[in-house]
Amino acid sequence: NAGVIQTPRHKVTGKGQEATLWCEPISGHSAVFWYRQTIVQGLEFLTYFRNQAPIDDSGMPKERFSAQMPNQSHSTLKIQSTQPQDSAVYLCASSLGGYTEVFFGKGTRLTVV
Amino acid sequence: GDSVTQTEGPVTVSESESLIINCTYSATSIAYPNLFWYVRYPGEGLQLLLKVITAGQKGSSRGFEATYNKETTSFHLQKASVQESDSAVYYCALGTGNTGKLIFGLGTTLQVQP
């Protein structure tokens, strides 16, 4: 079990460019989460899928951010027209759902210059 | 709203000393919150240390323990004798129901000196 895999581990984009972050959840896990971590705000929930369907995107910024889960083996977080304030570590996590343990990936560090 | 507040770091203790990291929560929109401690060791991903689902119960793992106190809305992390290998960042988290969605505190960096 390789755990939750996130790629790339580091990404540098220029202001205004698009960034796509990839997540491969643990096989068999039906719930997938995205979080963002910054020094100031800490770990913030962004969005949640269950069985590939979007369930809760209450933490997603209203503009420029989108997440998809086209199949059960991967999810993407896309940020359009990146801004310096988008610089953060983006964490993907998965679980079997319900009250079961949530497993986190090591994160993608996004730096917008 | 729902939130978690924990001890600001860094916390520095000497090996074999006792440790307490405070955590309090507010769960205004959650009828039966679950409480968690996560840990991130250097170079590794965030991982679950312990969890407690029922108020009044205690969770324990790797020598750490925490009791879910609904009256004081607290979930303090304690260890009687820390080791250098316990140096890590510790996060208290509130589970918002059966979805698995978590609300985290800002994290507490623990540095254990040999």
Side-chain angles (χ1 to χ4, degrees), chain A residues 91-108:
Chain A
L91 294 174
C92 178
S94 71
S95 78
L96 289 169
Y99 292 101
T100 61
E101 182 175 348
V102 178
F103 293 83
F104 285 80
K106 291 188 176 182
T108 295

Side-chain angles (χ1 to χ4, degrees), chain B residues 1-43:
Chain B
D2 303 322
S3 64
V4 174
T5 303
Q6 63 181 100
T7 300
E8 284 190 35
V11 172
T12 303
V13 297
S14 297
E15 203 164 26
S16 77
E17 287 187 343
S18 63
L19 168 74
I20 181 165
I21 298 176
N22 291 327
C23 172
T24 57
Y25 67 90
S26 171
T28 56
S29 69
I30 308 164
Y32 303 100
N34 304 325
L35 296 173
F36 305 81
W37 279 99
Y38 277 81
V39 59
R40 177 184 280 137
Y41 297 104

Side-chain angles (χ1 to χ4, degrees), chain A residues 73-87:
Chain A
S73 63
H74 89 273
S75 175
T76 58
L77 180 68
K78 184 177 294 185
I79 309 171
Q80 295 179 314
S81 185
T82 53
Q83 302 298 310
Q85 61 264 30
D86 299 330
S87 297

Side-chain angles (χ1 to χ4, degrees), chain B residues 30-92:
Chain B
I30 308 164
Y32 303 100
N34 304 325
L35 296 173
F36 305 81
W37 279 99
Y38 277 81
V39 59
R40 177 184 280 137
Y41 297 104
E44 298 185 17
L46 198 61
Q47 57 185 274
L48 179 65
L49 178 60
L50 58 87
K51 72 175 181 181
V52 179
I53 294 173
T54 306
Q57 299 296 310
K58 180 169 71 177
S60 61
S61 174
R62 306 179 204 178
F64 289 90
E65 57 183 35
T67 300
Y68 183 163
N69 190 320
K70 189 175 181 180
E71 287 67 40
T72 60
T73 63
S74 65
F75 191 55
H76 307 319
L77 183 68
Q78 301 183 70
K79 189 171 186 181
S81 176
V82 297
Q83 302 172 332
E84 198 174 350
S85 58
D86 293 326
S87 296
V89 183
Y90 293 82
Y91 297 88
C92 185

Side-chain angles (χ1 to χ4, degrees), chain A residues 33 35 37 40-43 45 48 56 58 91 98-99 101-102 104-106, chain B residues 34 38 40 43-46 48 51 53 91 97-102 104 106:
Chain A
F33 308 84
Y35 288 82
Q37 183 171 27
V40 174
Q41 298 294 332
L43 272 155
F45 168 80
Y48 157 56
D56 180 352
S58 58
L91 294 174
Y99 292 101
E101 182 175 348
V102 178
F104 285 80
K106 291 188 176 182
Chain B
N34 304 325
Y38 277 81
R40 177 184 280 137
E44 298 185 17
L46 198 61
L48 179 65
K51 72 175 181 181
I53 294 173
Y91 297 88
N98 68 350
T99 64
K101 175 181 172 182
L102 298 166
F104 286 90
L106 289 178

